[in-house]
Amino acid sequence: MSFDFALILDSIPKMLMGIGLTLQLLFLSLAIGTALAIILLLMRISGRWYLAAPTMVYIYIFRGTPILVQIFIIYYGLPQLEFVRDSIFWPILREPFGCAIVALSLNTGAYVSEIFRGGVLGVDRGLTEAGAALGLSARHRFIYITAPIAIRLCLPAYSNDVVSLMKSTALASTITLLDMMGIARTIVAETYAPYEVFLSLMVIYLIITWIIQRTFGWIEKRMSRHIRSEV
Amino acid sequence: MTDNEVGNIIQLENVDKYFGQFQALKGVNLTVAKGERVVVCGPSGSGKSTLIRCINRLEAHSAGKIIVNGHELTDAVKDIDAVRREVGMVFQSFNLFPHLTVVENLMLAPRLVRKASKDENREKAMQLLERVKIQDQADKWPSALSGGQQQRVAIARALCMNPEVILFDEPTSALDPEMISEVLDVMIDLAREGMTMICVTHEMGFARSVADNVVFMDQGEIVETGPPATFFDNPKSARTRLFLEQILTH
């Protein structure tokens, strides 16, 4: 098998034209998904069954089905419904980009809220009791004691999820979006050279993964200053 | 307030507490007057910790009546957080907030609840740290301190809202032996200054020298209450005698 280096040099800049879209998909759905995760978390730990039960169903559905199926249902399925076409969400859902953002956000929200819940459950109960004994309200205890400690606890799992979301953005190419994966598929269709193109694409994704992991590693180190015994 | 409640900062009447089927407190009656120092002792599982955790409602009692500084504790108690501010608590495992420095541990509640100004708040916190002789560690993380130092910080933190009474839940049980006395010294100072204290502890020397009353609990009941001289030298109940023999002979 011969390896066409000229093609690699030619296709990498082309694929990088899609990096903007890949990063938009990543950061937008990460922001929306994280906000959604916080809402789901608060509902889940509210102690009220009518708030907790729907979140459990939601999380079960979105974690229990392939994200590709979720993307297809939102992109191909929802427009079939007239009330969706009449709703205020139609401007978002009529565009493949909007559909991809909605699907990735809903999916990430489900995973991240479980990650956050793990963090909250990991906070020593004695600490919130100490806050209660000082007369801090439940809201203050959550914001100033539970949340900062929980965030540090769930940072490693959260960073894994960001990487996994970044990889999932490639699925947006299946609904016509020209992110890096979409462009790669176009090039392969024209050149019949899948090895060169997809291997170069892998390298680009690996570099993004590396950057994400380094960033979180740095944040984690900063947030763990109080763990090291020397000050 | 009726006449017999005047002067009593804490009053428990026939308090029961169940954890599922298990009855942790059985008809407990206890009154603590302002300025009184009460030591609660008894074998493990006797309900001592549950008793003091009911006083600031970290546990809700199942039956009976608890009155703290004039507020009766019920499900309907309007502002349990306000009542808790009048009751400080020191825990066996210190429970310092690990993500805040020593002085920030003391400043958190006054900042959030009293909206204290930063300078004033820090000054007050430093005074409290001085009182427990640990002011030079103010800007360290709790994890950099020894157990004894952490517990002294925890005592200072319990004072930061100017409570009327402080509850101690086995404050020296998690400490290495050489650190116990530095914590007891701070507690003795507090007692001398007239602080109302309820202290669950096995430190019988502390009980003897500081307590106005010693309460002995076994299996969820208060078996015997009395001033330390009578309690240690002339216990009425056989259960008390057995307990004292067990902890004093070695």
Side-chain angles (χ1 to χ4, degrees):
Chain A
M1 190 190 93
S2 69
F3 216 72
D4 187 347
F5 283 100
L7 178 61
I8 292 178
L9 291 178
D10 189 46
S11 58
I12 283 183
K14 282 187 188 156
M15 286 188 290
L16 284 176
M17 307 241 294
I19 199 172
L21 187 56
T22 294
L23 294 180
Q24 271 180 42
L25 288 168
L26 170 62
F27 287 122
L28 256 178
S29 17
L30 184 64
I32 300 171
T34 303
L36 178 66
I38 293 170
I39 297 168
L40 289 170
L41 168 74
L42 295 176
M43 289 168 70
R44 181 88 154 83
I45 62 174
S46 64
R48 299 192 180 93
W49 68 267
Y50 53 88
L51 292 177
T55 66
M56 286 162 71
V57 173
Y58 173 90
I59 290 167
Y60 182 68
I61 291 174
F62 276 86
R63 294 208 312 172
T65 56
I67 180 157
L68 188 59
V69 175
Q70 295 163 17
I71 291 175
F72 282 178
I73 285 178
I74 291 170
Y75 181 67
Y76 295 116
L78 290 186
Q80 315 269 331
L81 306 169
E82 198 177 327
F83 71 89
V84 173
R85 291 198 301 272
D86 293 337
S87 75
I88 52 163
F89 300 111
W90 185 234
I92 296 170
L93 291 172
R94 66 190 295 177
E95 301 292 339
F97 179 76
C99 289
I101 292 289
V102 169
L104 291 171
S105 303
L106 293 178
N107 187 270
T108 290
Y111 277 96
V112 172
S113 94
E114 282 299 273
I115 291 174
F116 286 173
R117 195 170 72 95
V120 166
L121 294 179
V123 175
D124 182 358
R125 191 156 151 258
L127 299 177
T128 45
E129 280 186 352
L134 285 165
L136 297 180
S137 64
R139 196 171 66 91
H140 277 158
R141 295 199 297 268
F142 187 80
I143 297 173
Y144 293 95
I145 300 169
T146 307
I149 297 170
I151 288 172
R152 193 190 51 72
L153 288 178
C154 58
L155 217 50
Y158 184 69
S159 91
N160 278 339
D161 204 72
V162 175
V163 170
S164 135
L165 173 62
M166 194 274 294
K167 293 183 292 187
S168 300
T169 61
L171 294 172
S173 67
T174 59
I175 53 170
T176 75
L177 285 174
L178 287 177
D179 67 329
M180 293 196 296
M181 181 67 183
I183 294 173
R185 288 182 5 155
T186 317
I187 300 173
V188 170
E190 290 164 357
T191 60
Y192 303 103
Y195 287 115
E196 286 87 343
V197 176
F198 285 138
L199 279 174
S200 332
L201 182 63
M202 271 179 74
V203 173
I204 301 176
Y205 278 120
L206 281 174
I207 292 171
I208 300 179
T209 299
W210 182 82
I211 293 172
I212 295 173
Q213 284 174 338
R214 287 303 295 251
T215 309
F216 275 97
W218 178 80
I219 298 175
E220 219 176 293
K221 212 168 151 191
R222 265 194 70 83
M223 288 189 73
S224 305
R225 281 176 304 175
H226 59 278
I227 306 293
R228 284 175 287 157
S229 49
E230 73 279 352
V231 178
Chain B
M1 232 188 243
T2 58
D3 283 347
N4 66 344
E5 286 168 4
V6 171
N8 284 338
I9 200 159
I10 286 166
Q11 190 164 344
L12 283 81
E13 285 173 26
N14 273 317
V15 171
D16 291 343
K17 171 67 186 172
Y18 287 87
F19 292 106
Q21 294 291 308
F22 176 74
Q23 187 169 9
L25 295 178
K26 296 173 190 164
V28 168
N29 289 292
L30 178 73
T31 54
V32 179
K34 197 165 170 49
E36 192 177 342
R37 276 88 47 155
V38 175
V39 163
V40 182
C41 60
S44 67
S46 60
K48 321 176 287 282
S49 287
T50 306
L51 171 72
I52 65 166
R53 287 167 61 84
C54 282
I55 294 174
N56 63 354
R57 213 168 167 79
L58 288 181
E59 307 288 354
H61 56 288
S62 313
K65 202 170 170 185
I66 300 180
I67 300 170
V68 174
N69 213 15
H71 314 276
E72 183 174 353
L73 305 186
T74 62
D75 284 334
V77 62
K78 265 190 238 104
D79 194 354
I80 184 65
D81 300 326
V83 179
R84 283 172 175 161
R85 273 166 224 149
E86 296 170 23
V87 183
M89 186 161 195
V90 175
F91 299 84
Q92 180 177 358
S93 49
F94 328 137
N95 293 347
L96 294 179
F97 306 131
H99 59 302
L100 301 177
T101 63
V102 163
V103 70
E104 285 168 352
N105 261 272
L106 274 68
M107 291 164 66
L108 183 67
R111 171 162 74 91
L112 296 177
V113 177
R114 298 232 169 89
K115 317 276 179 227
S117 83
K118 199 172 177 202
D119 291 344
E120 192 189 333
N121 193 359
R122 188 179 163 98
E123 198 187 312
K124 166 104 195 290
M126 289 306 294
Q127 281 170 8
L128 289 173
L129 288 177
E130 219 165 302
R131 205 159 143 189
V132 300
K133 301 178 186 65
I134 202 155
Q135 65 275 20
D136 46 330
Q137 316 279 345
D139 293 308
K140 290 192 179 171
W141 301 111
S143 61
L145 272 55
S146 72
Q149 290 173 322
Q150 288 192 47
Q151 193 60 300
R152 277 146 63 202
V153 173
I155 294 173
R157 182 180 65 179
L159 293 167
C160 72
M161 298 299 280
N162 300 320
E164 296 283 327
V165 52
I166 298 197
L167 312 172
F168 291 88
D169 190 2
E170 304 206 25
T172 56
S173 302
L175 295 174
D176 292 333
E178 74 272 18
M179 293 173 181
I180 290 177
S181 67
E182 61 183 87
V183 171
L184 290 179
D185 285 345
V186 167
M187 292 168 62
I188 291 168
D189 284 348
L190 268 183
R192 296 229 168 90
E193 289 161 27
M195 178 57 81
T196 312
M197 298 163 67
I198 304 179
C199 187
V200 173
T201 184
H202 294 119
E203 298 296 330
M204 291 303 126
F206 172 80
R208 208 184 254 277
S209 65
V210 169
D212 298 304
N213 267 308
V214 182
V215 171
F216 173 67
M217 290 187 74
D218 193 16
Q219 294 175 9
E221 293 171 311
I222 291 185
V223 177
E224 185 165 349
T225 305
T230 340
F231 180 84
F232 287 110
D233 302 329
N234 203 0
K236 282 173 281 188
S237 139
R239 278 199 272 179
T240 315
R241 240 171 284 143
L242 183 65
F243 174 74
L244 288 175
E245 273 168 30
Q246 279 167 347
I247 62 166
L248 294 177
T249 46
H250 54 77

